[in-house]
Amino acid sequence: MKKNRIGHNCKKLIVHNWRLYVLMLPALAWLIIFAYYPMYGLLISFKDYKGTLGILGSPWATPLWKHFAAFFSTSIAKNVIVNTLVLSLLTMLFSFPIPILFALLLNQIQGKRKRKFVQTISYAPYFVSNVVVVSILNVICAPSGFVNTIIQSLIGRPLLLMSSAQYFRTMYIVSNIWQTMGFSAIIYIAALTGISPEYHEAAIMDGATKLQRILHVDIPLIMPTIIIMLILALGNIMTVGYEKVYLMQAGTNTQVSEIISTYVYKVGLQNAQYSFATAVGLFNAVVNFVILVVANQITKKVSDISIF
């Protein structure tokens, strides 16, 4: 009886709010077509895929984990996993806190126009293509470029910044910070905007300085947002976009620049080993999912903040 009543109430609610469900249909269709339907292709990782036979027509791999075992048996597997983890962790270590600091400093700028101008300038690089960014790096960091002109005046010789393995991670992280700092700060700026002015007024009346207000008002109140963003960042720890890394690769830096995504691109598309590349990509996704769940559970226990 109770279940029938609940079902009747749900139907009544849907009929009453049918306009909202109609508005939701395009987003739902996009999610199904572009997010869930492509997951059907994961079957390739358990098959010996042949383009002429299709996914369902291709024979199953024997054993099913054949392509996963093949990846871990390669000499490059350990190297690409370590490179991916190191590059991702270093990027997160330096790139994650900077947008927070930038948002806190931007929030202190007096005058709406000045603040909007600085914000616009800061997030504009996010919309610059990776091809353009790497081209800019190649020009300014060339042996006769602007950066090396300064370096040569200081140490007496130019540095091979774009082709040397020891500088690859530094160049990637610095350019990534420049590209993403302003755009990543938007969510923290929004969180700071949502703080009631009453908190700051009370702090001012108690004699708090700007720094004290940042430390004891702003940061604690945006901490839930910071934790959520940290969980999401940890959930992508094994995901480093291949575009910029691939463009920055040179024959002399592949020992540190070859990561999972570039390896999958080369093996999957250039060598047409689709089953092998899909297996590597699936392994990457599963590790990310496990890390996301673990990070979520830890933060839930420690701070009672989680995404699910």
Side-chain angles (χ1 to χ4, degrees):
M1 193 73 179
K2 189 177 180 181
K3 287 183 179 179
N4 291 335
R5 193 182 305 156
I6 292 171
H8 177 72
N9 290 337
C10 286
K11 289 179 182 177
K12 190 176 179 182
L13 189 65
I14 291 170
V15 171
H16 181 71
N17 297 297
W18 68 271
R19 293 176 184 83
L20 297 176
Y21 288 95
V22 170
L23 288 172
M24 186 179 71
L25 283 177
L28 189 62
W30 181 92
L31 193 66
I32 292 169
I33 294 169
F34 295 104
Y36 286 97
Y37 178 70
M39 291 176 71
Y40 157 70
L42 292 176
L43 281 173
I44 296 174
S45 61
F46 301 102
K47 291 195 166 196
D48 290 324
Y49 177 72
K50 299 183 186 302
T52 54
L53 298 176
I55 295 175
L56 294 179
S58 297
W60 292 97
T62 308
L64 284 177
W65 55 87
K66 169 185 172 182
H67 301 296
F68 297 93
F71 169 63
F72 287 107
S73 65
T74 59
S75 58
I76 200 173
K78 181 181 177 182
N79 189 45
V80 296
I81 292 172
V82 170
N83 285 343
T84 303
L85 281 171
V86 171
L87 185 62
S88 186
L89 286 170
L90 287 174
T91 302
M92 190 172 71
L93 179 65
F94 292 102
S95 298
F96 185 79
I98 287 178
I100 301 170
L101 295 172
F102 177 71
L104 291 168
L105 293 173
L106 187 65
N107 195 49
Q108 299 302 313
I109 295 177
Q110 300 298 323
K112 197 173 181 181
R113 283 189 177 182
K114 290 179 183 177
R115 193 182 306 156
K116 281 190 174 182
F117 176 77
V118 174
Q119 189 177 351
T120 303
I121 293 297
S122 67
Y123 71 63
Y126 182 82
F127 302 100
V128 178
S129 166
N130 281 321
V131 177
V132 176
V133 171
V134 176
S135 298
I136 293 170
L137 287 174
N138 283 325
V139 171
I140 66 173
C141 296
S144 59
F146 171 73
V147 174
N148 262 316
T149 301
I150 297 172
I151 292 173
Q152 191 167 6
S153 67
L154 295 173
I155 65 173
R157 61 183 177 85
L159 300 176
L160 301 176
L161 297 173
M162 294 302 294
S163 58
S164 178
Q166 62 180 320
Y167 302 120
F168 171 79
R169 287 167 182 154
T170 302
M171 297 304 298
Y172 179 88
I173 292 167
V174 169
S175 62
N176 186 73
I177 291 171
W178 175 73
Q179 267 188 286
T180 62
M181 178 187 71
F183 190 82
S184 300
I186 291 174
I187 192 165
Y188 302 113
I189 293 167
L192 288 166
T193 305
I195 297 174
S196 174
E198 294 177 0
Y199 291 105
H200 285 284
E201 290 169 5
I204 290 168
M205 289 182 68
D206 289 338
T209 62
K210 282 187 178 182
L211 180 60
Q212 288 173 328
R213 278 186 281 142
I214 290 171
L215 294 174
H216 301 291
V217 177
D218 289 337
I219 292 178
L221 290 176
I222 67 168
M223 189 55 70
T225 304
I226 294 173
I227 292 173
I228 294 295
M229 296 305 294
L230 179 61
I231 294 171
L232 294 174
L234 288 170
N236 285 311
I237 202 75
M238 291 286 285
T239 303
V240 181
Y242 83 93
E243 298 96 339
K244 194 202 291 190
V245 176
Y246 184 74
L247 291 167
M248 291 178 67
Q249 277 186 351
T252 52
N253 65 18
T254 49
Q255 67 265 35
V256 296
S257 65
E258 191 72 280
I259 58 173
I260 290 176
S261 56
T262 57
Y263 181 65
V264 168
Y265 171 75
K266 291 173 183 176
V267 172
L269 293 182
Q270 294 184 350
N271 297 339
Q273 297 182 33
Y274 301 115
S275 294
F276 182 83
T278 305
V280 178
L282 180 58
F283 157 74
N284 199 30
V286 169
V287 172
N288 275 335
F289 178 73
V290 171
I291 293 172
L292 176 67
V293 172
V294 171
N296 185 74
Q297 291 302 113
I298 292 172
T299 56
K300 192 174 184 179
K301 287 183 179 180
V302 174
S303 61
D304 202 31
I305 298 169
S306 63
I307 57 175
F308 54 84

